[in-house]
């Protein structure tokens, strides 16, 4: 059998590789824990930033989630754009009319000048005829003077040609002015049509804004709208501009609107589930605006009115505990409930101390020891530790401030239980409030005997231990937990099953661990390919050695008994 036994070197190499892998995993897990803590800090920073954003929005009377107001702002911007376009077209039409009137006046002036020029030309022609007759008479009588008359006649003819050219240019200019006047009349008609269309669009948008402003939407959006019922179009436009200016910092791109609508839908469904027994929520589209309406006791109201009603109900519930109920609460804290909680906490502390006394008897050859610490969870509020200490004190020695602190502590926990699971029964909520185990947590501490004292057993510290020390550090707290669990029923079997028991733990340390198991009174069922449990610390154990024959599939066992001193075969 010894010759057939395989070489242990591959197994030892595998164990070494496993230890290296465990160390590497522990290092990576520490890095993961650091990154998780960093992520948690970043999440806390995000939460604080969100609270600062909410405070800043409240300080300036601005909401933080305004999906409906985004749609309203879009409508206001559309109205403002339509009004601006109408105003521009009105100015263009007025300018076109002025230019048409100026052109008509210019054309009339040019026409008057042309008529005058024609009259002057006709007078000049008539004068030319007279002069021609006079010239003929003079030529017949005068010599030198005849030449002068001819020269004057030539000048008259030149003036006549100039007048004709002027008349022609005036007629051409008058034709151009008439053509331009026709185009301006066409543009004026188009501008008037567009002006009428803009007026109708303005009236529709104004009426829709007036209708939305008259409802609960402004109050829900926390955007005050000062608009009288009989206000005219100008007043509506000014109110819309005031709202647009107030919401100028809110993004209204298509992407922002889609994201806001998605957030609104999620919040609406979540709120409708929570408020199913209190209000009937309805999210109705009004063209491109989503209007949230809540029906409470048959009365329709908006989100702001619903919020006020819920806040009022919450405040009334907080004031439900009367002075008599508070006296009853104080008597309960000073009576069986306080004694019960204090006794359970003291029992748990005593149980942990007893287990530590047993655990400290096991110290490895490398001076490694393990102990348990049952302490208030650091993640709990600061008042939890103070309330725990007050519960352990004599109620007769509690001052009024101490009683007030206990009262505030349990009242806050009641509110938390209600908020976490409002559908649970009062008994379940009270069990959650008085669950003192949720206030505590266990911490495993390790002493390596190097003068550094007791240290928290972290993944990094565990990865730095040897294989046997790792097994000790993990097994001992589990043994203590099992033994503490079995103490609730002393008559029950106290089984603990271990496969490949204490792999990597040296012989001396195994004896100490078996001594702890005997002291804890646990019933062991173990498997191992080489461990026979022959230790002085173990007072007795039955051993079954599996045996197979050569070429035979049958398996049988040989039974031995370790009686604390030697191993003897069973009859």
């Amino acid at each position: 059998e010894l010759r057939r036994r395989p070489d242990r070197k591959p197994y030892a190499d595998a164990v070494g590789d496993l230890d290296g892998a465990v160390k590497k995993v522990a290092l990576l897990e520490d890095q993961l824990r650091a990154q998780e803590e960093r992520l948690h800090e970043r999440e806390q920073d995000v939460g604080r930033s969100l609270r600062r954003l909410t405070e800043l929005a409240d300080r300036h009377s601005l909401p933080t989630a305004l999906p409906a107001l985004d749609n309203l702002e879009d409508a206001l911007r559309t109205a403002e754009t339509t009004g601006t376009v109408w105003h521009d077209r009105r100015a263009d039409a007025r300018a076109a009319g002025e230019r048409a009137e100026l052109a008509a006046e210019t054309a009339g002036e040019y026409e008057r000048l042309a008529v005058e020029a024609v009259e002057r030309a006709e007078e000049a022609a008539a004068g030319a005829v007279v002069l021609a007759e006079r010239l003929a008479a003079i030529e017949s009588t005068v010599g030198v003077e005849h030449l002068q008359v001819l020269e004057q006649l030539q000048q008259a003819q030149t003036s006549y040609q100039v007048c004709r050219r002027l008349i022609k240019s005036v007629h051409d200019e008058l034709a151009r002015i008439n053509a331009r006047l026709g185009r301006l009349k066409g543009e004026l008609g188009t501008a008037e049509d567009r002006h009428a269309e803009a007026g109708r669009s303005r009236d529709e948008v104004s009426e829709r804004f007036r209708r939305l402003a008259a409802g609960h939407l402004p109050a829900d959006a926390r955007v005050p709208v000062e608009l009288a019922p009989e206000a005219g179009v100008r007043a509506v436009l000014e109110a819309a501009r005031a709202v647009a200016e107030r919401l100028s910092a809110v993004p209204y791109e298509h992407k922002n609107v889609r994201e806001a609508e998605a957030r609104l839908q999620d919040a609406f469904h979540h709120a409708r589930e929570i408020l199913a027994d209190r209000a009937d929520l309805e999210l109705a589209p009004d063209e491109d605006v989503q209007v949230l309406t809540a029906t409470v006791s048959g009365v329709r109201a908006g989100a702001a009115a619903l919020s006020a009603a819920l806040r009022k109900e919450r405040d009334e519930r907080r004031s439900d505990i009367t002075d008599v109920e508070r006296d009853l609460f104080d008597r309960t804290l000073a009576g069986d409930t306080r004694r019960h909680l204090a006794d359970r906490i003291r029992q748990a502390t005593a149980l942990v101390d007893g287990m530590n006394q047993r655990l400290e008897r096991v110290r490895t050859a490398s001076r490694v020891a393990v102990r348990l610490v049952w302490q208030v969870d650091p993640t709990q509020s600061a008042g939890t530790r103070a309330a725990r200490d007050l519960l352990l004190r004599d109620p007769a020695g509690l001052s009024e401030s101490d009683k007030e602190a206990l009262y505030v502590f349990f009242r806050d926990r009641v509110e938390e239980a209600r908020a976490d699971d409002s559908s649970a029964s009062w008994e379940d909520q009270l069990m959650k409030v008085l669950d003192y185990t949720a206030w505590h947590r266990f911490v495993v501490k390790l002493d390596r005997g190097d003068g550094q004292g007791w240290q928290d057993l972290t993944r990094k510290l565990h990865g730095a231990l040897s294989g046997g020390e790792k097994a000790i550090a993990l097994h001992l707290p589990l043994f203590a937990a099992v033994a503490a669990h079995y103490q609730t029923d002393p008559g029950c079997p106290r089984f603990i099953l271990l496969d490949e028991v204490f792999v990597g733990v040296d012989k001396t340390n195994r004896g100490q661990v078996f001594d702890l198991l005997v002291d804890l009174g646990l019933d062991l069922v173990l498997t191992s390919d080489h461990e026979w449990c022959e230790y002085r610390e173990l007072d007795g154990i039955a051993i079954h050695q599996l045996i197979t024959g050569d070429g035979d599939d049958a398996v049988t066992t040989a039974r031995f008994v370790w009686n604390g001193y030697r191993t003897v075969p069973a009859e």
Side-chain angles (χ1 to χ4, degrees):
E1 290 178 354
L2 182 62
R3 284 194 302 271
R4 289 199 303 268
R5 182 177 180 179
D7 187 11
R8 291 183 58 83
K9 184 177 184 305
Y11 171 74
D13 294 340
V15 171
D17 295 339
L18 177 60
D19 291 340
V22 170
K23 291 180 180 179
K24 185 175 181 181
V25 170
L27 180 60
L28 293 176
E29 288 179 348
D30 290 338
Q31 295 177 358
L32 176 60
R33 176 64 62 83
Q35 295 299 326
E36 289 176 348
E37 293 177 355
R38 183 180 179 187
L39 175 60
H40 181 64
E41 293 175 357
R42 294 299 181 269
E43 291 176 347
Q44 291 179 347
D45 293 340
V46 171
R48 287 191 293 269
S49 299
L50 182 59
R51 286 193 297 272
R52 289 196 297 269
L53 174 61
T54 304
E55 292 173 359
L56 182 61
D58 291 338
R59 188 181 309 122
H60 295 285
S61 298
L62 291 174
T64 56
L66 304 174
L69 291 179
D70 292 342
N71 296 332
L72 176 60
E73 179 189 7
D74 190 10
L76 295 179
R77 290 183 179 276
T78 302
E80 182 179 9
T81 302
T82 304
T84 303
V85 170
W86 171 81
H87 184 270
D88 294 340
R89 294 298 182 268
R90 178 63 177 171
D92 294 341
R94 187 182 295 108
E98 293 176 354
R99 290 195 298 271
E101 293 176 358
L102 181 60
E105 293 177 357
T106 305
E109 183 66 23
Y110 284 166
E111 186 177 4
R112 185 180 59 79
L113 293 176
V115 172
E116 293 178 354
V118 170
E119 292 176 352
R120 288 196 301 270
E122 290 176 352
E123 291 177 356
V129 172
V130 173
L131 291 174
E133 293 176 353
R134 292 178 63 186
L135 177 61
I138 292 172
E139 284 179 352
S140 63
T141 58
V142 183
V144 179
E145 293 179 359
H146 174 69
L147 296 176
Q148 294 176 353
V149 171
L150 290 176
E151 184 177 356
Q152 292 177 358
L153 180 60
Q154 184 65 33
Q155 293 177 355
Q157 290 179 349
T158 303
S159 299
Y160 174 73
Q161 295 296 330
V162 171
C163 289
R164 288 184 63 84
R165 287 194 297 272
L166 179 60
I167 291 172
K168 185 177 183 303
S169 65
V170 168
H171 280 290
D172 295 340
E173 184 66 21
L174 181 60
R176 287 194 298 269
I177 290 175
N178 290 330
R180 185 180 179 187
L181 182 59
R183 290 195 302 271
L184 291 177
K185 288 182 179 180
E187 293 177 359
L188 178 60
T190 303
E192 288 177 349
D193 295 338
R194 294 175 63 182
H195 168 67
E197 181 64 26
R200 288 191 295 271
S201 177
R202 177 204 61 192
D203 294 339
E204 293 176 358
V205 174
S206 174
E207 182 60 27
R208 184 161 181 260
F209 179 79
R210 188 196 308 274
R211 177 169 51 81
L212 292 177
H216 54 76
L217 188 58
D220 295 344
R222 298 179 184 176
V223 178
V225 178
E226 298 180 357
L227 188 62
E230 66 280 358
V233 176
R234 183 177 298 276
V236 173
L237 181 59
E238 292 178 355
R241 287 176 177 173
V243 173
E245 183 179 357
R246 188 180 183 86
L247 302 176
S248 59
V250 178
Y252 58 91
E253 299 295 334
H254 183 73
K255 179 184 69 174
N256 305 121
V257 174
R258 298 282 78 79
E259 294 175 354
E261 288 180 348
R263 292 195 303 270
L264 173 62
Q265 291 291 339
D266 294 340
F268 170 73
H269 291 298
H270 180 65
R272 185 166 62 179
E273 293 177 0
I274 294 177
L275 302 176
D277 298 334
R278 293 184 176 90
D280 184 13
L281 300 185
E282 180 184 2
L283 187 63
D286 187 350
E287 296 185 11
D288 56 348
V289 176
Q290 300 287 338
V291 180
L292 176 62
T293 304
T295 303
V296 182
S297 301
V299 179
R300 296 174 62 86
L306 176 62
S307 176
L310 293 177
R311 291 177 184 273
K312 181 180 179 181
E313 181 181 354
R314 179 200 62 187
D315 296 338
E316 291 176 352
R317 287 192 176 184
R318 285 182 175 177
S319 60
D320 284 344
I321 299 181
T322 62
D323 294 339
V324 176
E325 292 171 333
R326 179 162 180 168
D327 292 339
L328 177 61
F329 184 77
D330 293 340
R331 289 196 300 272
T332 302
L333 286 179
D336 295 339
T337 303
R338 187 207 62 79
R339 286 194 299 272
H340 178 73
L341 285 177
D343 291 342
R344 296 302 296 266
I345 294 175
R346 291 192 185 97
Q347 291 173 10
T349 304
L351 180 61
V352 174
D353 293 340
M355 290 300 169
N356 282 331
Q357 292 177 2
R358 297 174 177 176
L359 292 177
E360 290 176 358
R361 290 160 46 188
V362 180
R363 187 175 287 272
T364 66
S366 57
R367 307 300 298 164
V368 172
V370 178
R371 69 180 304 179
L372 298 174
V373 176
W374 193 56
Q375 62 185 18
V376 177
D377 192 345
T379 60
Q380 295 289 330
S381 61
T384 302
R385 182 183 297 275
R388 177 184 182 274
D389 296 338
L390 292 175
L391 284 173
L392 297 178
R393 289 171 52 184
D394 185 2
L398 296 179
S399 63
E400 291 299 327
S401 60
D402 295 336
K403 293 181 180 180
E404 180 65 22
L406 274 176
Y407 172 74
V408 172
F409 171 73
F410 281 103
R411 185 190 63 188
D412 292 343
R413 294 194 68 86
V414 168
E415 293 295 337
E416 292 176 1
R418 288 178 175 175
D420 293 341
D421 190 3
S422 60
S423 62
S425 64
W426 169 248
E427 290 79 2
D428 295 337
Q429 293 180 2
L430 189 59
M431 289 293 293
K432 185 175 182 180
V433 170
L434 300 178
D435 183 12
Y436 66 95
T437 60
W439 310 345
H440 300 77
R441 75 168 185 175
F442 277 99
V443 176
V444 179
K445 288 187 176 290
L446 190 76
D447 182 12
R448 306 181 68 180
D450 53 1
Q452 297 184 9
W454 294 98
Q455 299 175 289
D456 291 346
L457 182 59
T458 61
R459 287 184 174 86
K460 182 177 181 181
L461 180 59
H462 181 263
L465 301 177
S466 65
E469 292 173 343
K470 290 178 180 178
I472 293 293
L474 293 181
H475 279 84
L476 296 187
L478 296 178
F479 293 156
V482 172
H485 175 68
Y486 284 140
Q487 284 190 9
T488 59
D489 188 356
C492 73
R494 305 169 64 85
F495 283 118
I496 181 168
L497 287 72
L498 298 176
D499 185 27
E500 295 295 339
V501 58
F502 303 141
V503 174
V505 181
D506 57 43
K507 189 176 183 64
T508 302
N509 293 335
R510 291 187 186 185
Q512 292 177 329
V513 175
F514 278 119
D515 186 25
L516 173 64
L517 293 174
V518 172
D519 186 36
L520 294 176
L522 298 178
D523 302 326
L524 308 181
V525 179
L526 316 175
T527 66
S528 176
D529 62 344
H530 62 281
E531 179 61 69
W532 279 51
C533 300
E534 299 172 322
Y535 301 96
R536 293 291 183 183
E537 295 82 0
L538 191 60
D539 55 1
I541 192 169
I543 307 164
H544 293 263
Q545 177 68 31
L546 297 180
I547 300 174
T548 60
D550 294 336
D552 190 353
D553 294 337
V555 179
T556 186
T557 65
R559 187 175 186 272
F560 303 87
V561 175
W562 168 257
N563 57 17
Y565 302 97
R566 61 191 179 90
T567 301
V568 296
E571 297 181 0

